[in-house]
Amino acid sequence: QVQLVESGGGLVQAGGSLRLSCAASGSTFSRYAMGWFRQVPGKEREFVGGIDWSGGTSYADSVKGRFTISKDNAKITVYLQMNRLAPEDTAVYYCAFRSGLIAIPRWFEYDYWGQGTQVTVSS
């Protein structure tokens, strides 16, 4: 079992920044990849970006150049730095864990999920 605890959401004005954190605990991790997803009511959970076991990152086109994912292997923590936020970024953000090497942009490929954190961007 893996537990994921997110933090860092909140309310920010358009153009501002937020950093989300996702700390993992529980089972011993051999190799894993992490993803960030977001969801608004009535819509499917959307891939934001992910970080591979190797540290390679991938992003949705809508956030490329504005969002950055990083990780601290010692702390088993992943970060989502969000800059130049826009109202359309408003959503509940989730981190997700999957056993494997690659962060896959499909939510059903992930085994464990954080509780979600609300990000609201005002115009």
Side-chain angles (χ1 to χ4, degrees):
Q1 280 284 40
V2 175
Q3 293 79 44
L4 303 176
V5 177
E6 301 175 39
S7 59
L11 173 65
V12 64
Q13 287 190 329
S17 299
L18 282 174
R19 189 175 85 152
L20 306 184
S21 300
C22 175
S25 62
S27 299
T28 302
F29 308 109
S30 54
R31 296 180 179 183
Y32 63 93
M34 299 284 286
W36 285 98
F37 292 78
R38 64 187 182 187
Q39 191 168 24
V40 297
K43 290 193 175 182
E44 190 168 315
R45 198 162 291 191
E46 174 190 26
F47 178 74
V48 174
I51 187 162
D52 302 336
W53 169 249
S54 65
T57 54
S58 55
Y59 300 94
D61 288 344
S62 59
V63 307
K64 207 171 289 184
R66 299 188 297 126
F67 291 11
T68 303
I69 297 173
S70 61
K71 65 174 179 173
D72 183 330
N73 284 329
K75 295 181 180 179
I76 317 177
T77 299
V78 176
Y79 305 96
L80 177 64
Q81 177 66 44
M82 304 184 291
N83 298 327
R84 292 186 281 132
L85 283 160
E88 51 265 36
D89 295 315
T90 295
V92 177
Y93 283 70
Y94 298 89
C95 65
F97 172 105
R98 66 182 303 271
S99 298
L101 301 177
I102 306 299
I104 296 175
R106 293 185 294 273
W107 63 265
F108 50 84
E109 298 281 358
Y110 290 77
D111 306 303
Y112 300 98
W113 291 83
Q115 79 281 9
T117 186
Q118 177 70 46
V119 171
T120 303
V121 185
S122 63
S123 56

